[in-house]
Amino acid sequence: TANRQSGLVFAAVLQFFLNHSHHVIFDVEPVLHHFFVDYVSVHYRRHLLAMSALLFLTTNTQKLLLHTSVFSRYFPAILKLLAWHPRTVATEILPILPAMVSPQTFGELFHTLLDLPLTAAFMEQHDRPGDEAGSESYAHRFGLDRTSPTFKSVQQYVMRNEAGLGVCLWEVGDEVHLSMIRLLW
């Protein structure tokens, strides 16, 4: 494809590295990190990227489970694809959902699944490209200060791309953060 941002080329490169990394003694983890943290987090709105990424994950589930930590580490980025494309990718996510569950991730995964409507709302209201005026009027109408540390920490929690990097806001029980989340709803 001529469009380098579609995700097809990246998925093909990932497939190549996954299939041949053991022959050339190449660590595929940094490439997966770049894909899920740097690429998917920016281009998640692209339908073709979502479909090609999920096709890559479903096709290579066993290989990825054996040789990488992609499901336990990057499930927030994978689930963001579901939050943005709920009608089209739900059937593709279901087969790989059990691969994301482990004794270390089940709590955070559970909260992330429960937070999907919040994630979708946050993505729609606060992450829309080129619509700063609409986002600012929404923030002003509900009395949100988008520069406050509370808002920034909620934004960081909801829009994270990797698991296990921060504390779950629901488990902390901090009333300031919980009231910010209620306002965002």
Side-chain angles (χ1 to χ4, degrees):
T1 178
N3 185 357
R4 291 178 27 198
Q5 296 178 344
S6 70
L8 290 176
V9 173
F10 217 136
V13 169
L14 284 175
Q15 186 67 54
F16 175 81
F17 283 137
L18 187 64
N19 289 342
H20 303 290
S21 63
H22 59 281
H23 294 296
V24 293
I25 309 173
F26 181 80
D27 184 15
V28 75
E29 287 286 341
V31 179
L32 291 169
H33 177 82
H34 176 66
F35 180 69
F36 286 106
V37 173
D38 301 328
Y39 190 76
V40 171
S41 66
V42 175
H43 302 290
Y44 62 85
R45 293 175 194 86
R46 300 173 190 268
H47 182 72
L48 192 55
L49 168 67
M51 295 304 290
S52 62
L54 293 173
L55 180 64
F56 168 76
L57 292 170
T58 54
T59 304
N60 299 295
T61 302
Q62 292 301 319
K63 209 180 273 190
L64 289 167
L65 281 171
L66 288 174
H67 302 292
T68 70
S69 61
V70 70
F71 293 111
S72 61
R73 188 171 176 190
Y74 303 114
F75 68 80
I78 297 166
L79 292 175
K80 263 204 254 183
L81 296 174
L82 174 63
W84 193 258
H85 307 280
R87 291 182 182 90
T88 54
V89 303
T91 55
E92 281 76 19
I93 289 266
L94 288 177
I96 62 172
L97 196 56
M100 297 177 196
V101 180
S102 74
Q104 295 79 25
T105 63
F106 77 92
E108 187 177 356
L109 178 62
F110 177 71
H111 285 289
T112 304
L113 288 170
L114 290 178
D115 289 340
L116 277 180
L118 178 62
T119 304
F122 199 94
M123 291 161 66
E124 182 67 30
Q125 294 298 326
H126 304 285
D127 199 43
R128 189 180 301 162
D131 191 22
E132 285 299 315
S135 295
E136 289 302 322
S137 69
Y138 175 84
H140 180 69
R141 183 175 43 195
F142 290 105
L144 295 174
D145 180 13
R146 294 179 66 167
T147 61
S148 75
T150 305
F151 183 86
K152 296 280 187 189
S153 64
V154 170
Q155 178 184 23
Q156 185 179 14
Y157 168 73
V158 171
M159 298 302 287
R160 71 194 184 283
N161 295 307
E162 287 185 76
L165 294 181
V167 65
C168 178
L169 293 181
W170 296 108
E171 293 175 357
V172 172
D174 181 19
E175 191 55 41
V176 175
H177 287 94
L178 293 177
S179 63
M180 177 64 72
I181 291 172
R182 287 186 205 108
L183 266 174
L184 291 169
W185 268 99

